[in-house]
Amino acid sequence: MSNRGRRGVPTVRRRVISVAACAGLVGAGTSACFAEQSAMPTVRDFLVAWQVENYAAAAKHTVGADRAQVARALAGLRNQLDAASMKLALGQPVPAGKKPGRAIAKNGENAEARFAVKIDLGENGEPWTYTGVMKLKRIKGKWKVVWDPSIIHPRLRAGQRLAVVSQTSRRSAIQDTNGASLLRTVPAYIIGVVPGELADPKKTIEAMIEALPFRGNRTLDTQRLLGRIRSAPPEKFLQLLTVEAGSAGGIERLLGQVRGLQVKPVNAPIDPVAATEFVGKLGPATNDRLQQVGAPYQPGDTIGVSGLQLLMQRRLAGTPTVRVIAQDATGRSVEELRSWPGTDPQPVQTTLVRAVQRRADYALADLPYPASMAVVNPASGAVQAVANHRTNGQNKALEGRYPPGLAFGMVGAEALLNSGMTKDTETDCPASVQVGGRTFTNPAPARGKNTFESNFALSCATTLAALSSRLDTSALMAAAARFGLGKDWGMSVPAFTGTVPAPANAADKAAMMIGEGGVQVSPLAMALAASAAGNGYWRPGFMLKNPRDAQAGVTGQPLAATAVLDLKSLMRSSVSRGTARDANVGQVSGVTATVVANGKTVSWFVGSRPEYAFAIAVEGKVNTAALVQRFLARSIPSIAPTAGR
């Protein structure tokens, strides 16, 4: 034992002396005693520098190639992919339930390290992840990364670069109720570049953006466009945007003067053939529009910018198939490294009836004022037409907010008839009447005592205001609800269903009876109300057949049976012998109204006949009953759709 102990002591002492000696040498600036045994620090420092984009620092850890060349190659991974982010980590992704393997394997003076790469291409899909491999060699006691293009990706070879290719399918159409497209093909121009032919991509993009008529946030993102150019195959034409021929003062001519841009004429189905404000327009993906539609769409892409084209962008356009490829300088040798399948475009089928839409457009075509019209099918609630004239691109047929005035009288009349009155009940029509301390006047001459039907037909406002005392607030609010006003109709497209504030007192209740006091409606809301008055059953409106409007839980409802027959008679009398008699075409029933609120005059016609229910709102004083004659004329000329006409 003593001999083994003595042999052990000198061994310990030699180790202590060796460490002490090396400590002294470190102070002298030598590393001879601390020859690096692990490749880990080199691999770690290389990956960290690469991830934080300090490419020169990463290149210092390599051998086998010019460091500037290495730095450019490392930067290429981000630039050639236009990556939103990149993360690197030592080791490799490990499936759940499995043990991780060795990150670094040494074999004498050589080693091999594996590292995980996670790249976000900014396409709203899953990141690209793969395992990278690098070889290392110990040179004079220091580990170095042996440079090879395969460090970028295991299948990348010398002379190759990465590129991202997005493949999109042709945009699907918006269709009418019969499946025919509501778009027409018009001349347009595709604007693009061949990336490899650009002397200065940044100058080309800046000049292009300068030529475009965008202002404020409605512009194109220069950096993202440059990223698209850098990541695209250099030898192939890259489409940047599409402009309609003759739009924006001949913008295609100005763009054609930008060095490096190519302008290619095409015919494209991008213009609505009817219901422009509802169908919507297409345009370039500017910054503000990209915030609405999001990834995977890119600056300049042709996307929906209004109406259904915007609302149904993903369905109509689908999403692109994105491929990461490795290619040589000629672009002939291509290998796919990864792909993300897109989704196919699908059409959107509406309930619009082309012949009815033409009639609605024709009815409003000659008006000097903004006007809107909605037409529905009384049997189903399907919206057959939405016409907008001089509305500056706004879809007021669906979204307009107007006081209804005496057009709301049908709601008050239904409540009165449901409370025990009949069309033959004697009523008065004085020039003015006081209710709750407020004076209500009749725009027409006083007519004295007559049946409720006669005074209603002659639009006697004081009759309805005075009769409000026969109803409590709940009865009047219930009547508005039976006509669907202010309810959720379950429509997929924006539509204003109405606002009906509960009256606070007798004066408010009288004002509500004649469509004042904060009551607001849209033409569509009143068309549906007219449909209910005409057939005794309110149905929610819908405009999409495929995909179907989400109306789960939204059901129709009957009007009170005791009131329906008399209400129909009131509406018919207004046309046959009352203030709406200029609309006496066929079996039309309905009412006219002129209301002035906040200095603005709104003229209404709200009515129906067996195959249609409709409402017209004109922002000016006109004979709306005469517009019904135009709508129902036997033959009408074609009216070209023009947004904001």
Side-chain angles (χ1 to χ4, degrees):
M1 287 290 294
S2 61
N3 289 339
R4 286 196 295 271
R6 282 195 296 270
R7 284 197 298 269
V9 171
T11 303
V12 173
R13 291 181 62 195
R14 280 198 299 272
R15 289 177 181 169
V16 172
I17 292 169
S18 176
V19 171
C22 282
L25 290 173
V26 169
T30 178
S31 60
C33 292
F34 274 88
E36 190 177 65
Q37 296 300 309
S38 173
M40 177 76 76
T42 297
V43 175
R44 179 198 60 210
D45 293 348
F46 174 78
L47 293 176
V48 169
W50 187 8
Q51 178 170 299
V52 301
E53 302 180 63
N54 191 346
Y55 304 118
K60 288 181 180 179
H61 294 284
T62 66
V63 293
D66 177 73
R67 288 181 176 178
Q69 176 188 344
V70 172
R72 287 193 298 271
L74 293 173
L77 181 59
R78 270 186 193 266
N79 294 336
Q80 292 168 12
L81 298 179
D82 189 25
S85 68
M86 181 182 78
K87 294 182 179 180
L88 304 169
L90 187 60
Q92 58 185 327
V94 180
K98 291 194 175 183
K99 294 182 179 180
R102 295 176 64 187
I104 301 175
K106 284 172 51 181
N107 183 12
E109 301 297 303
N110 299 295
E112 184 177 270
R114 295 181 178 273
F115 58 99
V117 183
K118 183 177 182 180
I119 301 172
D120 181 3
L121 297 179
E123 300 284 353
N124 204 32
E126 63 182 78
W128 184 25
T129 59
Y130 60 88
T131 299
V133 180
M134 69 177 83
K135 295 187 182 301
L136 297 99
K137 188 175 184 64
R138 185 157 52 187
I139 301 174
K140 295 181 180 180
K142 291 186 177 181
W143 287 101
K144 291 289 185 180
V145 176
V146 180
W147 177 252
D148 189 271
S150 63
I151 293 174
I152 302 294
H153 186 278
R155 286 152 64 189
L156 191 68
R157 301 292 177 258
Q160 291 184 323
R161 60 155 282 162
L162 299 173
V164 178
V165 178
S166 293
Q167 297 172 314
T168 57
S169 301
R170 183 172 180 173
R171 189 182 184 93
S172 285
I174 296 173
Q175 303 170 339
D176 65 15
T177 192
N178 295 317
S181 176
L182 286 169
L183 304 176
R184 59 183 173 184
T185 298
V186 297
Y189 293 92
I190 292 175
I191 314 298
V193 297
V194 177
E197 296 179 358
L198 295 179
D200 190 332
K202 188 170 186 290
K203 282 187 177 180
T204 298
I205 294 303
E206 288 175 343
M208 180 186 78
I209 293 175
E210 181 66 25
L212 294 170
F214 299 144
R215 296 292 180 268
N217 196 34
R218 180 148 293 174
T219 187
L220 299 177
D221 189 318
T222 302
Q223 293 305 313
R224 290 185 66 184
L225 283 172
L226 287 172
R228 289 185 65 188
I229 291 172
R230 285 193 297 263
S231 65
E235 79 290 347
K236 292 187 176 180
F237 178 79
L238 174 65
Q239 179 177 329
L240 295 179
L241 70 156
T242 303
V243 295
E244 191 172 339
S247 62
I251 189 63
E252 67 276 2
R253 179 180 55 81
L254 296 175
L255 291 172
Q257 297 172 1
V258 175
R259 179 173 296 181
L261 282 187
Q262 296 186 20
V263 179
K264 298 184 176 184
V266 295
N267 291 313
I270 59 177
D271 200 37
V273 73
T276 299
E277 294 80 4
F278 170 65
V279 173
K281 301 283 283 183
L282 296 172
T286 51
N287 289 353
D288 59 324
R289 291 164 178 167
L290 280 173
Q291 291 177 4
Q292 293 177 278
V293 301
Y297 308 106
Q298 299 289 333
D301 284 351
T302 299
I303 61 171
V305 297
S306 63
L308 273 184
Q309 294 282 25
L310 173 59
L311 186 66
M312 295 289 176
Q313 166 64 24
R314 285 184 178 268
R315 180 182 175 92
L316 291 165
T319 56
T321 292
V322 179
R323 300 167 58 230
V324 176
I325 62 172
Q327 65 174 99
D328 62 18
T330 66
R332 288 191 293 269
S333 177
V334 174
E335 180 182 6
E336 182 180 296
L337 303 180
R338 181 73 161 84
S339 67
W340 294 263
T343 57
D344 292 333
Q346 297 181 66
V348 172
Q349 187 175 14
T350 73
T351 59
L352 294 182
V353 178
R354 194 77 62 90
V356 180
Q357 182 67 45
R358 282 198 299 268
R359 288 183 172 278
D361 288 334
Y362 176 64
L364 309 181
D366 294 338
L367 291 172
Y369 308 111
S372 300
M373 182 176 187
V375 185
V376 303
N377 179 347
S380 65
V383 181
Q384 297 178 312
V386 284
N388 293 281
H389 172 74
R390 294 180 180 269
T391 59
N392 196 29
Q394 298 179 68
N395 191 3
K396 291 191 173 183
L398 269 62
E399 301 178 66
R401 295 170 179 252
Y402 299 111
L406 282 173
F408 192 80
M410 72 176 82
V411 178
E414 193 267 357
L416 289 168
L417 294 170
N418 197 41
S419 71
M421 279 184 60
T422 71
K423 65 178 183 176
D424 298 319
T425 300
E426 186 179 79
T427 58
D428 197 7
C429 179
S432 65
V433 65
Q434 273 206 347
V435 181
R438 177 176 167 183
T439 300
F440 295 87
T441 59
N442 195 39
R447 300 183 184 277
K449 296 187 180 299
N450 214 321
T451 64
F452 181 41
E453 181 174 14
S454 293
N455 284 331
F456 181 91
L458 295 172
S459 300
C460 187
T462 53
T463 298
L464 288 169
L467 289 173
S468 65
S469 61
R470 298 184 57 147
L471 299 171
D472 59 29
T473 296
S474 61
L476 192 51
M477 294 299 292
R482 284 193 292 274
F483 282 90
L485 298 174
K487 298 180 69 174
D488 179 4
W489 303 338
M491 291 182 67
S492 302
V493 300
F496 178 57
T497 68
T499 299
V500 185
N505 49 50
D508 287 349
K509 189 167 56 173
M512 181 176 169
M513 286 286 285
I514 58 174
E516 298 176 6
V519 177
Q520 286 191 314
V521 293
S522 64
L524 177 57
M526 293 308 288
L528 292 169
S531 173
N535 64 17
Y537 197 93
W538 180 85
R539 291 177 173 83
F542 69 98
M543 291 205 70
L544 300 186
K545 293 175 69 174
N546 186 20
R548 185 69 157 83
D549 272 330
Q551 294 183 300
V554 181
T555 58
Q557 57 190 9
L559 301 186
T562 55
V564 168
L565 291 178
D566 279 3
L567 180 61
K568 288 182 179 180
S569 183
L570 264 59
M571 298 287 283
R572 177 61 190 149
S573 292
S574 181
V575 171
S576 62
R577 56 189 177 91
T579 53
R581 55 186 172 273
D582 285 341
N584 193 12
V585 182
Q587 303 176 62
V588 173
S589 298
V591 294
T592 59
T594 301
V595 57
V596 179
N598 300 320
K600 179 185 290 186
T601 298
V602 181
S603 300
W604 284 94
F605 184 91
V606 178
S608 66
R609 72 182 205 174
E611 72 272 38
Y612 306 127
F614 43 85
I616 301 170
V618 182
E619 296 179 21
K621 190 170 184 178
V622 299
N623 180 2
T624 51
L627 301 179
V628 178
Q629 291 192 28
R630 285 176 62 88
F631 173 66
L632 297 174
R634 289 194 173 185
S635 63
I636 60 171
S638 296
I639 303 296
T642 303
R645 184 176 53 238

